[in-house]
Amino acid sequence: MSSQGFSVRYFLATIGTSNLAMGVHKVLYPWLVVGVLHESPSRLGLATMALLLPNLLFILPGGIVADRRHRGSWLSFLYLLFLLPLGVLLAAVVYGQLTFTLLLIFGVSFGTILAFVQPARESLLGYAPAEVMHQAVAKMMVVQFVAQGIGFIIAGQLDYISLPQLLGLQMLIFLASSLLMKRCYPLPEKDSVEEAAQAEQSNKSAAQTWLELREGLSLFRNNRSLLHLLFIVFATGFLAFGVYLVGMPLIARELYNGGASLYGILQVVFSLGIISTNFGVMNRVKTFGRPGRLMVISFLLRGSLVGVIATVPPLWLLFPVVFIWGMASGLSMTLGRTILHNQVSHSLRSRAASVYQLCLFGGAPLGAWVCGVTIENLGLGTAFVAIASTTLLVSVVTALRSPLWHISGHIDPAKETAKAQG
C-alpha cells in the first residue's frame, strides 16, 4: 500500500482520541465488576477473559482483512462500531438492568471489534523508515499512554461523574476517532490504481485467504528469532499482562481498601512509567543494539516488582514500584514492536502484527482467568509470589537457550523477508 495521502499528524490525533476512550474503558470495565457489582476475583478474571478471548478467534482474520482493505476507511468504520456495545451498556445502566451476564456480553462484543482494530492500526506504523522505527513506535506509545492516562483520571472520578455520563463521553470520543481516521488516511480517487488493487484483494477466495494466513505464519516458523519473540510475548500476556489486568483493581480494593479513585491513580502512575520510558526512546538516535536481551530483562524486572507488591508496601513505596513496573512494560512494548516491524515487509505487516497480538492477547485471557482463580484460592500475596517465581524461571531459560537473547537491532527487512520466504 502506498503511503500517499497518509498524515502522521492525524494518525497521532486518532491514536490520542481512541486511547482516551480506551483509558476510560480500562478503569471502568473492571471496576463495574468489582466495585459496582461487587463480584469475586475469579469473576473478575472471567470478565477480563471475555474481553480478551475474541483476539484468539478474530485477530488473525483481522490482519488478513486489514491487508486487503483501505485501512483508513476500515478503521474509521471500526471506531464507529464501538458505539453499539457502549450504547447497549448505557441503556442497561440508565434503566437499572446492569448484570454480570450483560458485562460478559459487552466484553465479548467490545473485544471482537478491538481484535479487528489492532492489526490495521498497527500496520500504519510501517510507513516509518527502519532506522527510526524505534522512534516512531515510541512517539505512538507516548501519545497512546498520555491519552490513556487522561482517560484513567476521568474514569477515576466515578464518585463525582455519573456512569451514564462517562459512557456517553466514550461514545463521543470514538465518534471523533472515526472522523479523524478519515482525515488521517483518506480514500483515494476512484480511478486510482491503489483502490482497484484493494477491490481486487477484497474478492479473493477462501482458499486464497488460507494461503495468505499461512504466508503470515511462515514468517515466524522460518525465523527462529521471530518465533522466540512470540514465546516471550505469550509469556508476557499470560504472566505480566494477566496480573496487571486482574491484580491492579484488586490491589486497590483488597490490599489498600481503596475505591475507583485509587485504582485510577495507580493506572495513571503506571502510564507515567510507560510514557517516561518512551520519551527516552524518542530521543535515542540509534536503534537498540540488543533489543531482545533488553526485552527479557524488562520481563524479569516486572515479575520481580510483582513480588515486591506481594509484601504490601506502604503507599509511598507502592507508587514508585508501580511507576517502575510501567517503565519496564513500556520498554518491552516498544522493543517487541520494533523487532517485529524491522523484520517484516510492509505487504505482510498486518498479518505479522495480528500473529504478534494473538500471542500477547492470547496469553492474557488465560492468564487473567488463572490469576483470578489463584488469588481467590491462595490469596493475593501468595498468587503474586507464584507469578514472580514463574517469571524468573522463564527469564532464565530464555536468556540461556533463546536466540532472542542475541538478536541484533540492526536488521535489513528485505533480507530477513527473503530469508523467511526461502
Side-chain angles (χ1 to χ4, degrees), residues 14-37:
T14 306
I15 293 297
T17 54
S18 60
N19 279 282
L20 177 61
M22 288 301 301
V24 175
H25 165 78
K26 286 185 176 181
V27 172
L28 198 57
Y29 180 69
W31 199 254
L32 287 175
V33 178
V34 300
V36 176
L37 298 181

Side-chain angles (χ1 to χ4, degrees), residues 49 113 125 141 146 189 202 244 319 364 378 381 398 404 407 412:
M49 186 170 66
I113 300 170
L125 274 173
M141 296 283 289
V146 166
E189 296 295 328
S202 64
Y244 164 77
F319 291 133
L378 301 180
T398 303
L404 186 64
I407 192 172
D412 184 344

Side-chain angles (χ1 to χ4, degrees), residues 178-312:
S178 176
L179 297 175
L180 285 169
M181 180 50 67
K182 280 187 174 293
R183 299 292 300 272
C184 164
Y185 196 27
L187 190 68
E189 296 295 328
K190 289 186 177 181
D191 59 349
S192 72
V193 176
E194 181 175 350
E195 186 180 15
Q198 294 288 343
E200 181 180 352
Q201 288 277 342
S202 64
N203 293 322
K204 288 183 177 178
S205 65
Q208 182 65 27
T209 298
W210 175 243
L211 288 175
E212 289 182 351
L213 177 58
R214 290 180 59 188
E215 186 179 16
L217 292 172
S218 69
L219 289 169
F220 299 91
R221 185 181 66 245
N222 298 329
N223 186 318
R224 288 187 69 242
S225 295
L226 280 180
L227 181 62
H228 283 245
L229 173 65
L230 295 187
F231 292 159
I232 195 68
V233 166
F234 179 84
T236 298
F238 183 81
L239 294 169
F241 201 24
V243 72
Y244 164 77
L245 291 169
V246 174
M248 190 74 80
L250 295 176
I251 289 169
R253 189 187 75 172
E254 297 192 2
L255 294 186
Y256 296 92
N257 298 314
S261 297
L262 177 58
Y263 178 39
I265 292 171
L266 289 175
Q267 292 278 30
V268 170
V269 172
F270 185 87
S271 295
L272 287 174
I274 295 176
I275 293 165
S276 64
T277 294
N278 282 282
F279 266 125
V281 176
M282 282 170 55
N283 294 322
R284 182 184 175 92
V285 176
K286 295 182 179 180
T287 189
F288 296 96
R290 297 290 183 185
R293 187 170 300 182
L294 284 174
M295 195 171 180
V296 175
I297 293 171
S298 70
F299 177 69
L300 174 60
L301 178 58
R302 280 176 287 170
S304 302
L305 293 172
V306 169
V308 172
I309 294 173
T311 65
V312 195

Side-chain angles (χ1 to χ4, degrees), residues 93-125:
V93 170
V94 169
Y95 292 102
Q97 300 298 316
L98 182 64
T99 64
F100 182 69
T101 301
L102 180 65
L103 280 179
L104 290 180
I105 295 172
F106 168 82
V108 170
S109 303
F110 197 95
T112 299
I113 300 170
L114 199 58
F116 284 89
V117 167
Q118 287 167 345
R121 182 187 61 201
E122 190 76 17
S123 66
L124 291 177
L125 274 173

